[in-house]
Amino acid sequence: MMDKSYWIWYYGDYELYHIMKANLRREERGYKRPIFWKQDVPYVNVKFQKTVDSDGGTLKAYFNGSGYIAVNGKRYNEGIEIKVPKGKCKVEALISKENGFPAIFIESDVCPSDETWECNYCAGKFIPAGYNEYFDEAQKNPEIFPFAYENKVPVNKRHINNGILYDFGTELFGYLNIVNADAKEKINIFYGESEEEAIDTEHSLIIDSVEGSKEYQLKQRALRYVFIETECKNIDVSVDYEYLPLEKKGWFKCDNELFNKIYDVAAYTFHLNCREGFLDGIKRDRWVWAGDAYQSARINTYLFQDKAIEQRTAIGLIGKKPVEQNINYILDYSLLWIIGLYEHYMVYGDVKFLSRIYEMATEMIAFSETRINSDGFIEGTEDDWTFIDWAEIDMTGAVCAEQMLLIAAYKAMGNISKVLGKKEEDAFFEKSEVLKKLVNQYYWNEVLGAFIDSYTSGKNNVTRHANIFAIMYDIAEEEKKRNIIKNVLENDSVPQITTPYFKGYELDVMSKVNGLDKVEFILNSYWGEMIRCGCKTIWEEFKPEETGIERYGMYDGKYEKSLCHAWGAGPVYIFGRYYLGVYPTAPGFETFNVEPNLGGLNEIEGVVPVGDGGVKVSLNHNRLKVKASKSGGTLIWKGKHYKIEPDVELVIDC
Amino acid sequence: MMDKSYWIWYYGDYELYHIMKANLRREERGYKRPIFWKQDVPYVNVKFQKTVDSDGGTLKAYFNGSGYIAVNGKRYNEGIEIKVPKGKCKVEALISKENGFPAIFIESDVCPSDETWECNYCAGKFIPAGYNEYFDEAQKNPEIFPFAYENKVPVNKRHINNGILYDFGTELFGYLNIVNADAKEKINIFYGESEEEAIDTEHSLIIDSVEGSKEYQLKQRALRYVFIETECKNIDVSVDYEYLPLEKKGWFKCDNELFNKIYDVAAYTFHLNCREGFLDGIKRDRWVWAGDAYQSARINTYLFQDKAIEQRTAIGLIGKKPVEQNINYILDYSLLWIIGLYEHYMVYGDVKFLSRIYEMATEMIAFSETRINSDGFIEGTEDDWTFIDWAEIDMTGAVCAEQMLLIAAYKAMGNISKVLGKKEEDAFFEKSEVLKKLVNQYYWNEVLGAFIDSYTSGKNNVTRHANIFAIMYDIAEEEKKRNIIKNVLENDSVPQITTPYFKGYELDVMSKVNGLDKVEFILNSYWGEMIRCGCKTIWEEFKPEETGIERYGMYDGKYEKSLCHAWGAGPVYIFGRYYLGVYPTAPGFETFNVEPNLGGLNEIEGVVPVGDGGVKVSLNHNRLKVKASKSGGTLIWKGKHYKIEPDVELVIDC
């Protein structure tokens, strides 16, 4: 009887490989466009080893790559049944692969390949091998990412100009199939997230061209619309929709149909961008960006609560030693990556992951510290991109919002070090506190009652961004928080945020400190307006005042704006976190609070996943019902605390 | 009119890629055996850029990989003729390649791709691109290493057992061709460096098996003999001999026919192992080892004086940041790599190369310093292999020979820093001096009049190795040198060296300090014995007392000993360096000395390459003739100095 075997590899290389593939796959009108920051790669030769003490048995190995497996020093190729002698025995393998990543699968009644095997990269310490539960058969190739597929047909078809325009009803990602074509005809294909883009054959960003066959399957593309230049009337198309099969563990419904629509559209937008990692937008970059991913992880917590995608994303973003630049070149994204690690730990309680990523986290923060100027503030060099948001922030010298993130990153590193029992804990907390004082001293403007962007320019410019972070990461004291609410958040003369990315943070902060009134206003006016404009997915940026084709422009490109951008799915998080009111109070939701809030709604209902269980909340003006499938929950309602027993419905008349 | 273009890549990636291919190609009876130390890989995405100010023109790019080329921010694919506008213009490209290395070739009258282009790896500083003069056409693929080929046929053929044994007369490396086979027959092929190995089908290390065709070309293998198991009498074979087309710039002849044979066999052995880099042996590992390569570079200086192979080897060995282990895992090999860099500079005077490798050299020495113990001596950890030589050295604690190498490595780093005007110069020289004093204090044994291997074991064991290095790197003072000669080198109770690797160093030292008598004795008794035994190439290890099949055994394998090992070619260096007596006194042979020495011979003649020229020396008991094709030479003869004018023969009656 053989024990359960998995493909094993150097921990992290599976994740890094698939993120790399995504990062190098971007294509625009006729040329490829790889990421413009450094792409790390898997190790090319990996040693695997295990010492067993057994009654003997056999093993048979399969390689992804080439090399050997050795039993007590005698080497063999793959595919050979090898005797494992009785008693103590050392089994080793050395596999190399130049393209892809080395991996091994061992069928055995003695030493099946699993996480109890150790490996190194022919240097470094031996660590437990990486594996993935899906790859449990020799025939499954770990270099092929396990997506799911579903055939989709257009909901609409129109003959226009010299071709046919198809509408799939909503955005998709997948492989376009064309059948009944004329093999002699050269067919040009123009994809569009909008109808305008698909038929604007001079400018549509993603195009293809085929000829010589009656049937085609094209490359994987994002599309809602596709325009096919053809004289053939019989042509038929469909899309093999490719997606990550994730279980929707969380949901939300309320009596406001617009909000329900926002939730559904946001959840769909988010799901389309959940692939090898958290992608930014499904059409254009399809790259993994740490800031976008930070927001995505929060959304994921309340929708799929899928740990694996967060870990793939984190590993893919940080790569391997040495850290030579900011993640995605962006000063703030490096810090958000660090902050996100601790938030990830709070949701999933995965100490093992934390301990494995710790070395790279210390490398990352040490790199960030190379950007600290003589005043003690983090400041981008010419090799860094100080992003924060697409907004008019005064970027002179050290920027306030970056300091807020560094304070939070130090705190996260302190917390992570504490979990892992690392001696660096105190130093990180100390650094966080020191910087917090400095920031209050240099950036707080008493006259304006707000944090200013820059203390060196003399402009005393106030934007929402730093002030939002100051509340989000609990950096401002209570009085300052009140000031910020009044002088910044509720002050319409401070420019509005235009990206749903930062709107997500704004909603978070407002929900936390200012009740849900303003939140509902923003949901209504900003996300609601997208829905009213007919958007089936959430956009990268949205300016209600823009109309017509100009709405699709960004980055100097007519259709460069992403119309399906994950960072717009923030409401999913807001509904789960602040309406259903569920959040962890110990790692992995071992304990959690449920603090429901009806806001201005009449009825809400939904489920939030809490680790290996879920909690269902329903609330209207008359009654609150809470039921969890696991222990550890505390209901907080009108100042009172109630213990939530597993599988017992708490019913409270309001 | 287009200007000259070359394929360009991130500097070093061409070299690293081809060394990697060699390192991962090793194969033994049915399985592959990649290197067991870390293999670094080329960068996967590379940016290229150039700013031009011109009257305008065009460009057309070709990619090795995928990506784009952009002119003033507008992006294009490869293969398109693009206008370059008049005036200042920025041309950029971003190319990615997952397998291989990104490269670009640009035909242009404005900005042809060459070394004036800069690149980075989407991180790091922009540096001048790497290129190779051979790759000057778009059609030449820089991932295909430019070897030369020659068809060779067997010199002998014998029907034995159930097949045919072919003898190619001498060792070759290449592709075996089989013709006139029976397509229905499965043919087994057994290669051998020795006849015994080829016909010992149970144990021959390299084997192949083919069927289904009348003609085959097999994988590239080393062989002198090949035994083909077949019932087909008509079979015919040949080998497409694959070699690096190097010009033999140096040669040596004398009146001793055995020495001439040693020279020729050594030179042939060496050439077979000169490929992507300096390989150790052509049959077994075919790996690049820094110690072997150090010796190879000295031989190369007097035979091919090929700069490129030394640089490919150095780059391939050191790889990329971070340095996480010793080169080839071997403590001494890291140090020899550093020492070799300065010797390389002295021969070729290539400051550009030195400046490009400097960062990795400082990383390497810093890593070596992590192995310095509390007494101040370098000492291998369990992660290191303290090799020195295949010999009975007392390896307790810090080993003397390693200290000798560290002293020399510090000095080399001091010298390199000096050339490059780096501030670290003084610190390196200082460290070298401090360690030298410590070594004399701890390792010199007054009673034995020699350096001992270990000062911690109490065994006071003396081997030749540390004492040879002490002279080779000028570490022992004059009196100690005299002691070493008497008590170690000329003392037969100190065990003889068994590898031609260290014999090479012994010859060097003896030639330098002890005249050529003993050198000739060793050439005669050691290398001469190999020739008398019928060796057509120099072996990895040679023990004259061994006979029969046991001679071929090593590493617990019946035929694992390499019978064509580059490190045995030391005599090539000795004849050029000490008989013809030519060596550089300024970088790149800008100045050089000629100090001929007849030793115990009656007549010597030969040429030593000296940078862009050569110097011919002939000497017998009556007459010395010296002629150089370039300036800078000084003849030293019987204590007198003569200036050697270019192309003017100096003739001196002895």
Side-chain angles (χ1 to χ4, degrees), chain B residues 552-602:
Chain B
Y552 305 132
M554 213 169 163
Y555 312 109
D556 293 327
K558 201 169 171 185
Y559 301 104
E560 284 235 23
K561 184 180 285 167
S562 160
L563 305 190
C564 179
H565 222 66
W567 76 9
V572 170
Y573 165 76
I574 297 297
F575 289 126
R577 172 67 183 80
Y578 294 105
Y579 284 81
L580 303 179
V582 181
Y583 56 94
T585 50
F589 285 93
E590 200 176 306
T591 63
F592 57 95
N593 286 346
V594 183
E595 259 187 289
N597 190 340
L598 204 49
L601 300 171
N602 294 311

Side-chain angles (χ1 to χ4, degrees), chain A residues 21 30-35 37-39 41 44-45 67-68 75 77 94 98 121-123 125 322 324-325, chain B residues 21 30-35 37-39 44-45 67-68 75 77 94 98 121-123 322 324-325 383:
Chain A
K21 298 292 279 186
Y31 56 86
K32 282 235 185 183
R33 197 169 167 188
I35 54 166
W37 54 90
K38 187 184 173 201
Q39 177 61 57
V41 295
V44 79
N45 54 337
Y68 62 81
R75 288 178 291 270
N77 204 345
L94 176 49
E98 286 169 48
Y121 46 95
C122 295
K125 300 278 165 247
E324 296 185 83
Q325 65 186 179
Chain B
K21 299 291 278 185
Y31 57 86
K32 282 237 186 181
R33 198 170 165 187
I35 54 166
W37 55 90
K38 187 183 172 202
Q39 178 61 58
V44 79
N45 53 336
Y68 62 82
R75 288 179 291 270
N77 205 345
L94 176 49
E98 287 170 48
Y121 47 95
C122 295
E324 296 186 84
Q325 66 186 178
D383 291 332

Side-chain angles (χ1 to χ4, degrees), chain B residues 537-561:
Chain B
T537 45
I538 309 287
W539 293 15
E540 179 175 18
E541 189 180 52
F542 184 72
K543 295 174 182 168
E545 67 277 14
E546 289 180 345
T547 55
I549 223 160
E550 65 161 334
R551 297 180 298 166
Y552 305 132
M554 213 169 163
Y555 312 109
D556 293 327
K558 201 169 171 185
Y559 301 104
E560 284 235 23
K561 184 180 285 167

Side-chain angles (χ1 to χ4, degrees), chain B residues 102 112 174 219 239 251 255 281-282 328 347 356 381 453 526 617 638:
Chain B
K219 275 193 219 171
V239 164
W251 57 268
D255 63 308
I282 194 64
N328 313 119
V347 173
R356 286 181 159 205
T381 69
D453 288 336
Y526 187 81
V617 178
K638 296 189 176 170

Side-chain angles (χ1 to χ4, degrees), chain B residues 42-80:
Chain B
Y43 290 116
V44 79
N45 53 336
V46 174
K47 269 185 213 167
F48 300 90
Q49 66 177 32
K50 182 166 182 167
T51 303
V52 291
D53 196 349
S54 75
D55 291 339
T58 62
L59 69 82
K60 193 173 181 182
Y62 301 86
F63 303 158
N64 191 49
S66 56
Y68 62 82
I69 182 157
V71 176
N72 286 336
K74 181 152 171 51
R75 288 179 291 270
Y76 305 86
N77 205 345
E78 62 181 333
I80 295 164

Side-chain angles (χ1 to χ4, degrees), chain B residues 243-417:
Chain B
Y243 65 99
L244 190 65
L246 290 170
E247 186 195 346
K248 237 180 218 171
K249 296 176 189 155
W251 57 268
F252 173 82
K253 273 203 184 337
C254 66
D255 63 308
N256 180 326
E257 274 314 309
L258 179 65
F259 282 16
N260 288 342
K261 209 142 192 195
I262 291 173
Y263 182 91
D264 289 344
V265 166
Y268 184 75
T269 300
F270 182 65
H271 189 195
L272 264 185
N273 285 293
C274 287
R275 287 176 48 89
E276 297 90 344
F278 290 132
L279 306 191
D280 60 338
I282 194 64
K283 176 182 92 171
R284 195 193 54 218
D285 304 1
R286 303 209 304 266
W287 288 342
V288 180
W289 298 84
D292 307 55
Y294 176 76
Q295 174 115 236
S296 287
R298 294 177 153 211
I299 298 159
N300 179 44
T301 301
Y302 289 91
L303 190 61
F304 306 119
Q305 207 164 107
D306 183 60
K307 182 170 80 170
I309 192 173
E310 294 193 19
Q311 297 188 355
R312 288 198 302 274
T313 301
I315 291 168
L317 282 167
I318 193 64
K320 295 196 191 291
K321 282 188 295 183
V323 173
E324 296 186 84
Q325 66 186 178
N326 278 301
I327 295 179
N328 313 119
Y329 260 119
I330 303 179
L331 198 63
D332 24 315
Y333 277 22
S334 296
L335 301 171
L336 285 166
W337 181 85
I338 292 169
I339 299 166
L341 287 184
Y342 188 67
E343 295 188 4
H344 174 84
Y345 172 69
M346 280 304 287
V347 173
Y348 303 98
D350 188 346
V351 182
K352 200 159 67 181
F353 172 71
L354 215 54
S355 72
R356 286 181 159 205
I357 203 95
Y358 185 73
E359 188 186 4
M360 289 311 295
T362 58
E363 296 269 330
M364 187 69 253
I365 193 91
F367 179 86
S368 295
E369 287 181 328
T370 64
R371 270 42 179 171
I372 291 180
N373 68 19
S374 54
D375 282 352
F377 295 116
I378 188 165
E379 183 181 342
T381 69
E382 59 180 13
D383 291 332
D384 307 312
W385 176 8
T386 304
F387 171 63
I388 302 298
D389 191 16
W390 297 119
E392 296 290 326
I393 294 169
D394 178 0
M395 294 290 194
T396 317
V399 179
C400 187
E402 300 286 354
Q403 315 313 316
M404 299 298 180
L405 293 178
L406 183 56
I407 292 167
Y410 275 140
K411 198 171 159 192
M413 285 303 295
N415 279 320
I416 293 168
S417 302

